[in-house]
């Protein structure tokens, strides 16, 4: 395996299958939770938020450890362990007799869920300085394509039963593991490995180091509000559309596929036109404004077709994130760029701990039978408010430090 030339295509296929497996289960998660608890959509949404947060907590704590282990033992064994862990997680969820087993599966996935982290390191190992940036683009491409295909497949399979998509996701992940076991070579040579050190496996260490830059500190807080607000859609979409429009698993899957497609068009193409035309600062404000508008439109949508139309506005708001990251990247020195990217990952992990529980609990409260005021769009409206707070913080930071 060591002598075989590493192939970038192997990593792309591995990541694509991995993300497709994740996407497959999203449309049917409400149905599975309802099957196990017998509760309402509101109660299922609350449990769903906790499940996502449980996965995020474990992954946040374990990702730096897994990264250190990959530097010590190589990328291949860690990547294979991650893929195997996802397969076991999906099997736990497919055959779970109680809700507790879903949490066990999610914790296993969080412990092992380092495929993207390890894949990034693998790509860095086999790339040159000249082609590293474009090679890293395959992670985004696999992520985008997987989240277009996955939900659509999951929605269609969900018509056969709530557990069928989980079995399909398990088969994909375990086939992916077998594929990697026989095909994927090691990318990290023995001489480039380092001893594992617990002090370097601190998940908050990167964020703490970056906060010595005042501009980074302010913009990271602004970005945190954006990441948390995104869970009004990411974690809440299936429950919201079931409650308000009575959508089936197939309709949820199709709608999420459309969201993924539009998002991929914006991130993969339009930002290369819009950001240079507007400049980074105006792109931040324009993007956050569209983002907030998208949340408000979602919150007050009265027909299912409106969710498709409003998705264009919401996804165009996605220009704000890359613009903010570009500004921050220009502030830190060249030898801290990797640390900055690690900071973004840590921030996204932290937001995935807070966001799902916050948004789904709010949705559950305003859709429960005993709610004082019925309003399924409450989480979407909170997303708009958090985005406006982010806009204020970003503007204040950029003006204060004259970046």
């Amino acid at each position: 395996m060591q002598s075989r030339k590493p192939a970038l295509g192997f990593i792309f296929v591995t990541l694509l299958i991995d993300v497709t497996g994740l996407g497959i289960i999203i449309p049917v998660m409400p149905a599975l939770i309802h099957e196990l608890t017998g509760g309402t959509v509101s109660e299922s949404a609350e449990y769903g938020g906790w499940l996502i947060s449980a996965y995020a907590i474990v992954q946040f704590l374990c990702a730096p450890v897994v990264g250190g282990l990959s530097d010590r033992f190589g990328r291949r064994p860690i990547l294979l362990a991650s893929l195997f862990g996802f397969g076991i997680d999906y099997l736990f969820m497919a055959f779970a007799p109680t809700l507790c087993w879903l949490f066990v599966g999610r914790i296993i996935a969080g412990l092992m869920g380092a495929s993207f982290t390890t894949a990034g390191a693998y790509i860095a190992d086999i790339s040159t300085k000249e082609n590293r940036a474009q090679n890293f683009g395959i992670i985004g491409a696999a992520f985008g394509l997987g989240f277009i295909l996955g939900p659509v497949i999951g929605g269609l399979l969900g018509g056969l039963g709530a557990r069928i998509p989980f079995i399909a996701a398990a088969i994909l992940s375990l086939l992916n593991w077998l594929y990697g076991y026989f095909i994927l070579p090691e990318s990290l040579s023995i001489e480039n490995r380092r001893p594992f050190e617990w002090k370097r496996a601190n998940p908050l260490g990167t964020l703490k180091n970056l906060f010595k830059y005042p501009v980074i500190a302010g913009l990271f807080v602004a970005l945190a509000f954006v990441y948390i607000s995104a869970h009004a859609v990411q974690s809440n979409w299936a429950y919201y559309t079931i409650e308000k429009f009575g959508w089936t698993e197939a309709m949820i899957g199709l709608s999420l596929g459309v969201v993924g497609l539009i998002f991929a068009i914006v991130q993969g193409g339009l930002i290369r036109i819009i950001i240079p035309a507007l400049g980074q600062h105006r792109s931040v404000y324009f993007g956050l404004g569209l983002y907030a508008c998208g949340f408000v439109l979602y919150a007050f949508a009265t027909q299912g077709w409106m969710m498709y139309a409003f998705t264009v506005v919401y996804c165009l708001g996605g220009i704000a994130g890359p613009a903010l990251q570009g500004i921050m990247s220009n502030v830190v020195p060249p030898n801290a760029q990797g640390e900055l990217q690690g900071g973004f990952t840590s921030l996204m992990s932290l937001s995935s701990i807070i966001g799902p529980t916050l948004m789904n609990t709010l949705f559950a409260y305003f859709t429960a039978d005993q709610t004082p005021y019925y309003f399924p769009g409450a989480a979407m409206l909170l997303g708009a408010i958090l985005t406006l707070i982010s806009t204020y913080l970003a503007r204040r930071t950029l003006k204060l430090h004259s970046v």
Side-chain angles (χ1 to χ4, degrees):
M1 296 296 293
Q2 185 71 31
S3 63
R4 197 179 307 171
K5 184 180 179 180
L8 204 59
F10 295 164
I11 290 295
F12 175 76
V13 172
T14 294
L15 291 178
L16 177 60
I17 295 175
D18 202 12
V19 177
T20 301
L22 283 171
I24 281 175
I25 70 173
I26 295 174
V28 292
M29 185 62 82
L32 180 59
I33 295 174
H34 171 72
E35 182 180 310
L36 292 173
T37 64
T40 63
V41 175
S42 303
E43 293 165 341
S44 296
E46 200 162 5
Y47 287 129
W50 293 343
L51 281 167
I52 298 172
S53 293
Y55 169 80
I57 290 170
V58 177
Q59 187 177 51
F60 175 71
L61 295 173
C62 293
V65 176
V66 171
L69 290 173
S70 78
D71 286 340
R72 169 65 181 87
F73 298 105
R75 317 301 184 200
R76 184 175 182 273
I78 304 303
L79 191 57
L80 291 178
S82 173
L83 297 175
F84 188 77
F86 267 119
I88 297 301
D89 164 43
Y90 295 138
L91 288 175
F92 264 95
M93 299 176 86
F95 297 103
T98 65
L99 190 66
C100 288
W101 284 99
L102 293 187
F103 280 94
V104 172
R106 288 283 78 190
I107 289 169
I108 291 172
L111 284 168
M112 309 300 288
S115 57
F116 277 95
T117 302
T118 312
Y122 192 106
I123 291 170
D125 293 339
I126 65 174
S127 301
T128 64
K129 290 182 179 179
E130 290 73 26
N131 66 11
R132 183 165 292 160
Q134 66 193 62
N135 285 350
F136 272 119
I138 75 159
I139 295 180
F143 197 92
L145 186 57
F147 267 109
I148 294 169
L149 297 175
V152 174
I153 296 171
L156 294 173
L157 291 176
L160 302 175
R163 296 175 185 264
I164 299 300
F166 293 90
I167 296 173
I171 292 170
L172 271 180
S173 291
L174 294 175
L175 285 175
N176 197 10
W177 171 70
L178 281 173
Y179 170 79
Y181 182 82
F182 289 107
I183 302 298
L184 189 69
E186 179 56 67
S187 63
L188 186 66
S189 60
I190 299 295
E191 60 270 19
N192 288 331
R193 300 184 187 185
R194 67 172 178 86
F196 177 79
E197 300 174 62
W198 281 107
K199 65 181 180 181
R200 295 181 66 173
N202 178 5
L204 294 174
T206 299
L207 288 175
K208 182 179 178 182
N209 289 339
L210 287 171
F211 267 55
K212 65 186 177 184
Y213 305 101
V215 177
I216 297 295
L219 294 182
F220 253 62
V221 175
L223 201 57
F225 278 100
V226 173
Y227 287 160
I228 292 171
S229 70
H231 283 279
V233 171
Q234 293 175 11
S235 302
N236 197 41
W237 182 275
Y239 305 99
Y240 177 70
T241 53
I242 290 171
E243 176 70 22
K244 195 161 188 179
F245 307 115
W247 281 7
T248 63
E249 288 87 353
M251 295 171 72
I252 294 168
L254 178 62
S255 67
L256 288 171
V258 171
V259 172
L261 178 61
I262 297 174
F263 185 78
I265 291 171
V266 172
Q267 297 294 312
L270 291 182
I271 61 170
R272 301 175 187 274
I273 301 170
I274 297 173
I275 293 179
L278 295 179
Q280 288 182 329
H281 287 210
R282 278 185 291 182
S283 293
V284 169
Y285 306 139
F286 182 63
L288 291 176
L290 287 173
Y291 210 38
C293 285
F295 281 124
V296 173
L297 291 170
Y298 280 153
F300 293 100
T302 57
Q303 301 290 329
W305 65 264
M306 293 180 178
M307 299 298 285
Y308 288 92
F310 298 158
T311 291
V312 176
V313 178
Y314 175 78
C315 288
L316 279 172
I319 66 172
L324 273 172
Q325 292 181 18
I327 292 170
M328 286 187 271
S329 183
N330 291 335
V331 171
V332 302
N335 62 1
Q337 293 295 326
E339 188 173 45
L340 177 64
Q341 299 306 313
F344 290 141
T345 302
S346 296
L347 192 64
M348 290 182 72
S349 297
L350 280 172
S351 73
S352 295
I353 295 170
I354 300 167
T357 300
L358 173 64
M359 296 303 179
N360 285 24
T361 301
L362 190 66
F363 169 83
Y365 177 79
F366 281 100
T367 56
D369 293 336
Q370 67 275 20
T371 183
Y373 182 75
Y374 180 78
F375 182 45
M380 303 291 187
L381 204 56
L382 178 60
I385 293 169
L386 294 179
T387 303
L388 292 175
I389 294 172
S390 174
T391 307
Y392 167 75
L393 292 173
R395 182 171 176 79
R396 182 174 177 273
T397 301
L398 294 174
K399 287 186 69 176
L400 185 64
H401 298 283
S402 302
V403 179

